[in-house]
mmCIF file of all heavy atoms in Angstrom:
data_model
loop_
_atom_site.group_PDB
_atom_site.id
_atom_site.type_symbol
_atom_site.label_atom_id
_atom_site.label_comp_id
_atom_site.label_asym_id
_atom_site.label_seq_id
_atom_site.Cartn_x
_atom_site.Cartn_y
_atom_site.Cartn_z
ATOM 1 N N LEU J 263 98.316 95.893 118.118
ATOM 2 C CA LEU J 263 99.197 96.953 118.628
ATOM 3 C C LEU J 263 98.461 97.765 119.667
ATOM 4 O O LEU J 263 97.256 97.735 119.725
ATOM 5 C CB LEU J 263 99.612 97.841 117.449
ATOM 6 C CG LEU J 263 100.377 97.137 116.297
ATOM 7 C CD1 LEU J 263 100.480 98.083 115.107
ATOM 8 C CD2 LEU J 263 101.742 96.690 116.749
ATOM 9 N N ASN J 264 99.224 98.567 120.428
ATOM 10 C CA ASN J 264 98.582 99.476 121.380
ATOM 11 C C ASN J 264 97.947 100.683 120.756
ATOM 12 O O ASN J 264 96.935 101.196 121.203
ATOM 13 C CB ASN J 264 99.552 99.961 122.461
ATOM 14 C CG ASN J 264 100.006 98.873 123.389
ATOM 15 O OD1 ASN J 264 101.210 98.733 123.627
ATOM 16 N ND2 ASN J 264 99.058 98.098 123.894
ATOM 17 N N MET J 265 98.621 101.196 119.717
ATOM 18 C CA MET J 265 98.146 102.496 119.151
ATOM 19 C C MET J 265 98.721 102.677 117.763
ATOM 20 O O MET J 265 99.641 102.020 117.331
ATOM 21 C CB MET J 265 98.472 103.650 120.038
ATOM 22 C CG MET J 265 99.931 103.789 120.332
ATOM 23 S SD MET J 265 100.247 105.117 121.491
ATOM 24 C CE MET J 265 101.788 104.574 122.201
ATOM 25 N N VAL J 266 98.147 103.664 117.085
ATOM 26 C CA VAL J 266 98.450 103.916 115.703
ATOM 27 C C VAL J 266 98.721 105.400 115.391
ATOM 28 O O VAL J 266 98.055 106.271 115.879
ATOM 29 C CB VAL J 266 97.300 103.460 114.784
ATOM 30 C CG1 VAL J 266 97.287 101.934 114.716
ATOM 31 C CG2 VAL J 266 95.974 103.987 115.234
ATOM 32 N N PHE J 267 99.708 105.626 114.493
ATOM 33 C CA PHE J 267 99.856 106.954 113.906
ATOM 34 C C PHE J 267 99.113 106.950 112.598
ATOM 35 O O PHE J 267 99.283 106.020 111.799
ATOM 36 C CB PHE J 267 101.318 107.168 113.484
ATOM 37 C CG PHE J 267 102.314 107.343 114.587
ATOM 38 C CD1 PHE J 267 103.261 106.368 114.829
ATOM 39 C CD2 PHE J 267 102.319 108.512 115.333
ATOM 40 C CE1 PHE J 267 104.264 106.557 115.808
ATOM 41 C CE2 PHE J 267 103.313 108.677 116.315
ATOM 42 C CZ PHE J 267 104.262 107.733 116.559
ATOM 43 N N ASN J 268 98.344 108.008 112.332
ATOM 44 C CA ASN J 268 97.828 108.178 110.996
ATOM 45 C C ASN J 268 98.200 109.611 110.567
ATOM 46 O O ASN J 268 98.519 110.454 111.423
ATOM 47 C CB ASN J 268 96.325 107.917 110.908
ATOM 48 C CG ASN J 268 95.516 109.156 111.250
ATOM 49 O OD1 ASN J 268 95.333 110.031 110.434
ATOM 50 N ND2 ASN J 268 95.100 109.233 112.492
ATOM 51 N N PHE J 269 98.141 109.902 109.266
ATOM 52 C CA PHE J 269 98.680 111.140 108.742
ATOM 53 C C PHE J 269 97.621 112.042 108.080
ATOM 54 O O PHE J 269 97.977 113.030 107.474
ATOM 55 C CB PHE J 269 99.816 110.859 107.795
ATOM 56 C CG PHE J 269 100.995 110.218 108.502
ATOM 57 C CD1 PHE J 269 101.060 108.818 108.622
ATOM 58 C CD2 PHE J 269 101.949 110.981 109.101
ATOM 59 C CE1 PHE J 269 102.097 108.220 109.325
ATOM 60 C CE2 PHE J 269 102.972 110.403 109.821
ATOM 61 C CZ PHE J 269 103.053 109.009 109.932
ATOM 62 N N HIS J 270 96.362 111.632 108.219
ATOM 63 C CA HIS J 270 95.333 112.420 107.511
ATOM 64 C C HIS J 270 95.405 113.923 107.904
ATOM 65 O O HIS J 270 95.259 114.785 107.069
ATOM 66 C CB HIS J 270 93.963 111.840 107.752
ATOM 67 C CG HIS J 270 93.786 110.454 107.139
ATOM 68 N ND1 HIS J 270 93.308 110.287 105.857
ATOM 69 C CD2 HIS J 270 94.100 109.227 107.595
ATOM 70 C CE1 HIS J 270 93.318 109.002 105.585
ATOM 71 N NE2 HIS J 270 93.772 108.336 106.622
ATOM 72 N N HIS J 271 95.559 114.184 109.236
ATOM 73 C CA HIS J 271 95.582 115.583 109.677
ATOM 74 C C HIS J 271 96.796 116.348 109.201
ATOM 75 O O HIS J 271 96.854 117.560 109.360
ATOM 76 C CB HIS J 271 95.448 115.636 111.222
ATOM 77 C CG HIS J 271 96.646 115.077 111.958
ATOM 78 N ND1 HIS J 271 97.026 113.770 111.877
ATOM 79 C CD2 HIS J 271 97.552 115.698 112.746
ATOM 80 C CE1 HIS J 271 98.097 113.576 112.610
ATOM 81 N NE2 HIS J 271 98.447 114.733 113.162
ATOM 82 N N LEU J 272 97.784 115.620 108.679
ATOM 83 C CA LEU J 272 98.995 116.333 108.153
ATOM 84 C C LEU J 272 98.976 116.433 106.649
ATOM 85 O O LEU J 272 99.973 116.703 106.021
ATOM 86 C CB LEU J 272 100.236 115.640 108.680
ATOM 87 C CG LEU J 272 100.379 115.746 110.197
ATOM 88 C CD1 LEU J 272 101.582 114.922 110.698
ATOM 89 C CD2 LEU J 272 100.588 117.195 110.641
ATOM 90 N N LYS J 273 97.794 116.176 106.072
ATOM 91 C CA LYS J 273 97.648 116.364 104.611
ATOM 92 C C LYS J 273 96.653 117.459 104.326
ATOM 93 O O LYS J 273 96.186 117.602 103.184
ATOM 94 C CB LYS J 273 97.227 115.023 103.960
ATOM 95 C CG LYS J 273 98.326 114.004 104.100
ATOM 96 C CD LYS J 273 98.009 112.663 103.428
ATOM 97 C CE LYS J 273 99.199 111.717 103.610
ATOM 98 N NZ LYS J 273 98.870 110.327 103.193
ATOM 99 N N VAL J 274 96.298 118.232 105.351
ATOM 100 C CA VAL J 274 95.339 119.328 105.148
ATOM 101 C C VAL J 274 95.974 120.523 104.436
ATOM 102 O O VAL J 274 95.263 121.487 104.142
ATOM 103 C CB VAL J 274 94.659 119.757 106.478
ATOM 104 C CG1 VAL J 274 93.891 118.576 107.062
ATOM 105 C CG2 VAL J 274 95.665 120.304 107.481
#
Side-chain angles (χ1 to χ4, degrees):
L263 299 169
N264 291 131
M265 58 184 154
V266 286
F267 289 112
N268 86 81
F269 295 90
H270 294 268
H271 66 296
L272 294 174
K273 295 182 179 170
V274 298

